[in-house]
Amino acid sequence: MNECYYDKRMDFFYNRTKADTVDEWTGAQLIGVLCFGTFFCLFIFISNSLVIAAVVKNKRFHFPFYYLLANLAAADFLAGIAYVFLMFHTGPRSKKLTVDRWFLRQGLLDTSLTASLVNLLVIAVERHMSIMRMKIHSNLTKKRVTFLIISIWAIAIFMGAVPTLGWNCLCDITVCSSLAPIYSRSYLVFWSVLNLVVFFIMVVVYIRIYMYVQRKTNVLSSHTSGSISRRRTPVKLMKTVMTVLGAFVVCWTPGLVVLLLDGLNCTDCGIQNVKRWFLLLALLNSVMNPIIYSYKDDEMWATMKRMICCSSEDKSQERRSSRIPSTVLCRSTDTSGHYIEDGIIQGTICGKGDLSDKGNS
């Protein structure tokens, strides 16, 4: 019967797997990494909080697509927490960690990655349901979206806890990996292959949907008299999603390939020399997503900008607007699907812009 090593500290496993790079961190290197990581983690916290707040505040974002987008921002927020925890438990401190603390460190990273990945899969389904009906938004109810979001986090937490639940090498150290000294190499192969396969499936699905949208849009443009912006909106939303997916794949694929090579016990691949850079690349993904949302969606950016810069001005605007008929503030107070979709398409923001236009007329 194999001996188990639950009571050992991580130095036992690092030394056995010859992961000597943890000793290469000097004081200056560690301070530099901490400063760099802290800056980006603060940006992750602030920017993703703004995305979530924008979806909550702006009623034009109260649709399944934007709820899932906010949930993706929540996954990025968790990733920021995971990176903060990692920063203060890395370098020389890695060897001093207990097994449970190390499992927590890696479990946070795995959970955030899984949450982002499953969320993108659900968004792909939502986009497929909408696009195939040539609608901007699907007919998912709030209850179903809530159930989907809860399911996403249940799956993410479970996948992040799998090594802790038993798929590790604590009782068979001959199969321990190099990058993750208490993870079994078979688990790394499973984890990396599963994620890479899902990446490939999502890319294929989105490309097919995008081609379908382009074809249908071209056909409809010559037979309908609707606004050009309305016909182009499905394409614009697809471009946003595809940009987010592309950034996710680019940032995470190198790290997953390295994990796969480690799982396959490739001792001559030099994976120890690149692991920290690929981890920083993964960190960059959580930084990029809020920028993509605001760049690709004019109303998202306008909502975020008003929350950042114009809070006091908005308060005075609300006081003035209480004395102005609602027809001045908006073309309609109807919250039906068609009106809200038109508002999203045209990027119209009721309030400051409309008032200034009225004042100039």
Side-chain angles (χ1 to χ4, degrees), residues 22-81:
V22 291
D23 293 328
E24 294 176 3
W25 295 71
T26 64
Q29 286 177 317
L30 189 57
I31 291 174
V33 170
L34 289 176
C35 293
F36 180 83
T38 300
F39 172 78
F40 280 107
C41 285
L42 286 175
F43 181 83
I44 289 172
F45 293 144
I46 296 172
S47 58
N48 284 287
S49 297
L50 284 173
V51 172
I52 297 172
V55 173
V56 173
K57 181 178 180 180
N58 194 330
K59 291 184 178 180
R60 300 188 185 190
F61 295 150
H62 290 185
F63 290 96
F65 173 78
Y66 287 103
Y67 292 147
L68 295 171
L69 208 64
N71 194 49
L72 187 61
D76 287 329
F77 191 93
L78 175 62
I81 296 175

Side-chain angles (χ1 to χ4, degrees), residues 204-256:
V204 171
V205 168
Y206 277 119
I207 290 176
R208 292 191 62 179
I209 294 177
Y210 183 74
M211 293 174 63
Y212 173 82
V213 170
Q214 289 282 41
R215 185 170 64 252
K216 294 294 289 186
T217 302
N218 292 335
V219 172
L220 291 174
S221 62
S222 59
H223 294 87
T224 61
S225 58
S227 67
I228 295 176
S229 61
R230 184 177 182 84
R231 293 196 299 267
R232 288 180 179 174
T233 295
V235 180
K236 294 167 71 174
L237 287 179
M238 281 304 303
K239 286 182 178 180
T240 300
V241 176
M242 291 180 69
T243 303
V244 171
L245 176 63
F248 187 81
V249 171
V250 169
C251 291
W252 279 100
T253 298
L256 291 174

Side-chain angles (χ1 to χ4, degrees), residues 54-272:
V55 173
V56 173
K57 181 178 180 180
N58 194 330
K59 291 184 178 180
R60 300 188 185 190
F61 295 150
H62 290 185
F63 290 96
F65 173 78
Y66 287 103
Y67 292 147
L68 295 171
L69 208 64
N71 194 49
L72 187 61
D76 287 329
F77 191 93
L78 175 62
I81 296 175
Y83 291 127
V84 169
F85 191 85
L86 175 64
M87 282 191 303
F88 292 97
H89 295 84
T90 191
R93 295 186 180 182
S94 296
K95 287 189 173 184
K96 300 178 182 179
L97 296 177
T98 62
V99 168
D100 291 338
R101 185 60 64 90
W102 195 93
F103 272 136
L104 176 61
R105 191 186 80 171
Q106 298 305 121
L108 287 173
L109 290 172
D110 294 345
T111 300
S112 64
L113 170 59
T114 304
S116 298
L117 184 62
V118 179
N119 206 91
L120 284 171
L121 266 176
V122 175
I123 289 177
V125 174
E126 191 274 343
R127 287 294 84 199
H128 186 273
M129 293 169 58
S130 304
I131 295 303
M132 293 307 167
R133 295 179 176 88
M134 288 306 293
K135 293 183 178 181
I136 299 175
H137 299 290
S138 67
N139 295 324
L140 286 173
T141 63
K142 288 186 177 181
K143 289 184 178 180
R144 291 181 178 178
V145 173
T146 302
F147 173 76
L148 288 173
I149 291 175
I150 293 174
S151 300
I152 288 170
W153 286 104
I155 294 172
I157 293 172
F158 173 76
M159 291 300 295
V162 165
T164 309
L165 296 175
W167 200 344
N168 54 60
C169 64
L170 292 176
C171 295
D172 187 6
I173 58 176
T174 60
V175 298
C176 289
S177 69
S178 175
L179 292 178
I182 56 177
Y183 277 11
S184 172
R185 288 197 298 270
S186 61
Y187 173 75
L188 289 188
V189 172
F190 162 78
W191 172 260
S192 55
V193 170
L194 176 64
N195 284 281
L196 291 171
V197 169
V198 174
F199 284 3
F200 178 76
I201 292 174
M202 285 195 297
V203 170
V204 171
V205 168
Y206 277 119
I207 290 176
R208 292 191 62 179
I209 294 177
Y210 183 74
M211 293 174 63
Y212 173 82
V213 170
Q214 289 282 41
R215 185 170 64 252
K216 294 294 289 186
T217 302
N218 292 335
V219 172
L220 291 174
S221 62
S222 59
H223 294 87
T224 61
S225 58
S227 67
I228 295 176
S229 61
R230 184 177 182 84
R231 293 196 299 267
R232 288 180 179 174
T233 295
V235 180
K236 294 167 71 174
L237 287 179
M238 281 304 303
K239 286 182 178 180
T240 300
V241 176
M242 291 180 69
T243 303
V244 171
L245 176 63
F248 187 81
V249 171
V250 169
C251 291
W252 279 100
T253 298
L256 291 174
V257 171
V258 167
L259 289 178
L260 177 60
L261 293 175
D262 186 28
L264 296 174
N265 201 23
C266 180
T267 57
D268 300 325
C269 298
I271 55 178
Q272 292 287 351

